[in-house]
Amino acid sequence: MADKPFLPEQIADHNARHIAALTDEYEALGRALGRRGIDIDGVKAKVSGFSLALPTWATGRGGTRFAKFPIPGEPTNIHEKLADCAVVQQLSRAAPRVSLHFPWDGASDYVALREEAEAYGLGFDAVNSNTFQDQPGAEHSYRSGSLGAADTAVRAQAIRHNIDCIEIGKTLGSKALTVWVGDGSNFPGQQDFTRALDRYIEATSEIYSRLPDDWQLLLEHKMFEPAFYSTIISDWGSSLMAAQELGPKAKCLVDLGHHAPNVNIEQIVARLHRVGRLGGFHFNDSKYGDDDLDSGSINPHQLFLVFNELAEAEARVPGPTPAYMIDQSHNVTDPIESLLSSTESIVSAFAKAALIDRDALHDAQDRDDPMMAFQALRRAYRVDVSAIVAMARMEAGGAIDVLEFYRDSGWRARKAQERKPVGLGAGIV
Ligand code: PSV
Ligand code: MN
Ligand code: MN
């Protein structure tokens, strides 16, 4: 049985050193918000209710098609990945679920894996299939596509793999399958747009028919890469079209990096919510394309605007919370540090959206007063919510300063001694 990464006393000692300053900051912010008629404890309660999932693939160093530079002590198997996710959850208290990707996260005993996660205080989010890479021993190649491939045998293999993922997910206690396919084309004329989409929908409907009643099928669109001319599920329009044809359990998943630069993603959120098809989110940030940079590192305002639309939509038609997940590639940092920092950015954006005076916003919108409508958002965005996020985290048993605690803990150096070295540069310090 796996122990939690840190003893509660270690976290309590850390918090004892920071609690006086935090209380001071929290009370000062509480007074400032109180003057605006906002109850800080109410906001903190909302923040405490927010959680997201961690993807196993973000616990190792990412890379590009040019190179990957692993660090000593990074996880080498699903058990070590779970341990690193447990670090993020124990310190942040906002990341209690893990999203597995198959076959990358294959294990010999999924019942035992579920118990292992439970001992860490972790559960499982959506399972992800992988038909964008060939796997050792596979009968057919995905070089010409998977669920949308012209070759029936290739499509059948991709369908089977997705059904296998559902079966594993049932054992793990997951409630969703996320399907992202790289299927597309690199040359005009290479693929018939209509027939390719038809094949994809037909194949995906076979997967859909195997979905348990209380599951969702999350369709993730992506504009380009690996295909550079056209992609079958390239945008939210194609994704919605597919979801609507498949049935009510099919929903659209929005990855922040999967759009053309400057696309109004917050409006996509509102649109998908309006038709009840907003199923999930992959958080990351980008400057140029699907950069998979850390959430909030480039455009924290966009993150805030996304949460504003979610809060607006939720206030209008309450419904199930979309499946929130981080999906990033940590190429130059210790992945645990990036996950801790990104979780904080995402929770902060959520907290800021919770501060928006919706009546003032709606009133300005109805009076056609763009400046005051904008100011309703601005007033919330300008607030430094760190004390609310840290207080909620501490009260749930997490660390006040997550990065300081993590660095002081020496976790990675310890793991460098215990775990198998990875990559060509293993051992170079
Ligand atoms: C594709 O770019 C993506 O964002 C999908 O979510 C995949 O599942 C993930 O990356 C990992 O490859
Ligand atoms: Mn993604
Ligand atoms: Mn991506």
Side-chain angles (χ1 to χ4, degrees), residues 211-286:
L211 215 57
D213 287 346
D214 58 347
W215 273 50
Q216 293 196 328
L217 181 62
L218 302 176
L219 308 179
E220 180 176 2
H221 63 272
K222 177 169 174 172
M223 184 180 56
F224 79 105
E225 193 202 26
F228 289 99
Y229 170 63
S230 71
T231 294
I232 291 188
I233 302 296
S234 54
D235 49 27
W236 71 277
S238 311
S239 180
L240 179 60
M241 209 183 274
Q244 285 176 329
E245 285 189 40
L246 288 168
K249 288 185 278 182
K251 302 267 168 67
C252 305
L253 184 144
V254 177
D255 181 310
L256 291 179
H258 290 186
H259 309 86
N262 302 328
V263 157
N264 189 336
I265 300 174
E266 54 273 23
Q267 183 169 324
I268 295 175
V269 169
R271 291 285 188 267
L272 289 175
H273 191 277
R274 182 177 182 275
V275 287
R277 296 287 178 158
L278 183 65
F281 260 92
H282 282 180
F283 292 109
N284 50 57
D285 216 333
S286 62

Side-chain angles (χ1 to χ4, degrees), residues 57 101 104 128-130 132 178 180 220 222 225 253 255 258 282 284 290 292 325 327:
W57 56 99
H101 214 310
W104 295 340
N128 300 261
S129 59
N130 179 344
F132 48 86
T178 298
W180 170 68
E220 180 176 2
K222 177 169 174 172
E225 193 202 26
L253 184 144
D255 181 310
H258 290 186
H282 282 180
N284 50 57
D290 188 28
D292 279 327
M325 190 181 97
D327 183 9

